[in-house]
Structures are given as C-alpha cells and as structure tokens.
Amino acid sequence: MFSSTVDNEIKLALIEKSFAPLYVELAKENYTALERWLAWPPHCKSEQDFVSFIQKSLHDYADNKSMVCAVWFNEKLVGNVSFNTINHDLKKVDIGYWLAESAQGKGIMTRVCKKLINIAFSELNMHKIEISAASGNLASRAVCERLGMTLEGIVTNSENLNGRIVDHAVYGLHRT
C-alpha cells in the first residue's frame, strides 16, 4: 500500500479500513467546520459510512482512477488529501483535502499538497494539477496561492453544500 513521508512531522498513508473509527471521531469533532465547505459530512457519520467510502476509494485506487490518503501529523490523524481524479487522457489530477481545525495554521496542507504535486508530475507524469475550492473558503484558497497555483476562474453555482449554493475558485498548476 502507498505511504509517503512528507517531512519529519507529516506522513501520508493510503486509507485503510482500520482508519474508519479514527475518521468518525475526527469528523465528529470538526463537523461544523467540515460541513461549511464540504458536502459529505451530513452523509458520513458512522464507522460503516467511512468503511464504505474507504472500500470505494481503494477500488478506485486499484483502477488507477484516484488516490485517497490519511494525513498524519506527529503520528495523529488530522485530515485527508487525495487525487480526487487521475485523468490519464488529459494528464491531469485534481486534488482535494480537509484538515482538522486543531491542525490548521501549521502549514500542514501546503506541505502535503507540495508532496502530491511532486508525485503527480514526477511519478504519474501528469501535466496539470487542479484544485477547486468554494470561493468563500479563504483558507483553502490560500493553500493554492502558497503553492504558486494560478486562479483560472470562478465557476458560479458550482456546488450545493447541504442547501447552500456556492461558487468555486478553480486553480491550476502546469508542469514546466
């Protein structure tokens, strides 16, 4: 199974069934913040919900369609990062992520995304990285900007976040 050391504080591990109870607790502790910017929290509350998500994610990983990883900071699960899609025809991946509130402000997600960008360009031979974030999610957009990504545009009415329609800021980074 895939795992990778980002630095002396951060490790990534392909999600596995044993992580499900940890995700349940982390999602419960961070529900309000997660539900503000992500559609899945109201639909993923039980251990079985996370087990189902993990099984689907591992199937897609085996098919080389995506890669979903747990983010470990000082040996504690603090979030998730993924290549939501790996598009071999377009040579493009799209990255998604979320991080516990207690772990924010430490540069964790910027370091994690730099690692994924390196993997996408050097190991997967991708030509483009894309991240889409709700336009009002300034913390997520700041990660994109710290990564040197270019704002490619704002897509209006892009997502229904549990009854609230949001626009998405779409960022891109091309291999040079």
Side-chain angles (χ1 to χ4, degrees), residues 77-96:
L77 179 68
V78 295
N80 209 64
V81 68
S82 61
F83 291 137
N84 289 334
T85 57
I86 301 171
N87 187 322
H88 296 281
D89 291 334
L90 296 177
K91 299 280 191 192
K92 177 176 90 166
V93 296
D94 100 80
I95 295 176

Side-chain angles (χ1 to χ4, degrees), residues 4-176:
S4 183
T5 299
V6 174
D7 57 33
N8 62 342
E9 295 180 308
I10 305 168
K11 294 188 179 13
L12 303 178
L14 188 67
I15 57 171
E16 58 185 66
K17 190 175 174 180
S18 68
F19 298 168
L22 301 172
Y23 274 118
V24 170
E25 285 305 308
L26 195 59
K28 188 186 331 179
E29 291 167 9
N30 293 274
Y31 182 82
T32 302
L34 292 172
E35 190 246 356
R36 182 170 183 207
W37 300 119
L38 300 167
W40 63 262
H43 313 288
C44 199
K45 294 184 176 182
S46 72
E47 189 170 328
Q48 185 53 49
D49 293 335
F50 279 97
V51 167
S52 296
F53 169 73
I54 290 166
Q55 288 172 333
K56 182 188 180 323
S57 297
L58 291 173
H59 184 270
D60 288 347
Y61 176 74
D63 288 344
N64 208 16
K65 294 179 183 177
S66 69
M67 182 176 77
V68 181
C69 294
V71 177
W72 299 87
F73 179 69
N74 293 327
E75 300 184 25
K76 181 181 179 194
L77 179 68
V78 295
N80 209 64
V81 68
S82 61
F83 291 137
N84 289 334
T85 57
I86 301 171
N87 187 322
H88 296 281
D89 291 334
L90 296 177
K91 299 280 191 192
K92 177 176 90 166
V93 296
D94 100 80
I95 295 176
Y97 48 81
W98 61 269
L99 193 62
E101 286 182 291
S102 63
Q104 293 176 11
K106 297 173 172 67
I108 294 169
M109 203 47 70
T110 301
R111 290 182 274 168
V112 165
C113 287
K114 281 182 184 178
K115 182 71 170 183
L116 281 190
I117 288 168
N118 183 53
I119 290 167
F121 287 155
S122 64
E123 296 176 29
L124 298 178
N125 195 32
M126 294 290 126
H127 294 176
K128 184 181 181 189
I129 311 291
E130 193 171 280
I131 296 177
S132 180
S135 61
N137 188 342
L138 301 182
S140 191
R141 293 183 67 180
V143 169
C144 298
E145 291 163 11
R146 282 192 297 275
L147 293 168
M149 299 182 84
T150 301
L151 176 63
E152 295 184 341
I154 303 291
V155 179
T156 59
N157 290 58
S158 187
E159 185 177 23
N160 185 329
L161 290 179
N162 310 302
R164 185 171 54 99
I165 306 296
V166 298
D167 301 340
H168 273 197
V170 179
Y171 288 84
L173 180 68
H174 291 267
R175 185 168 71 181
T176 53

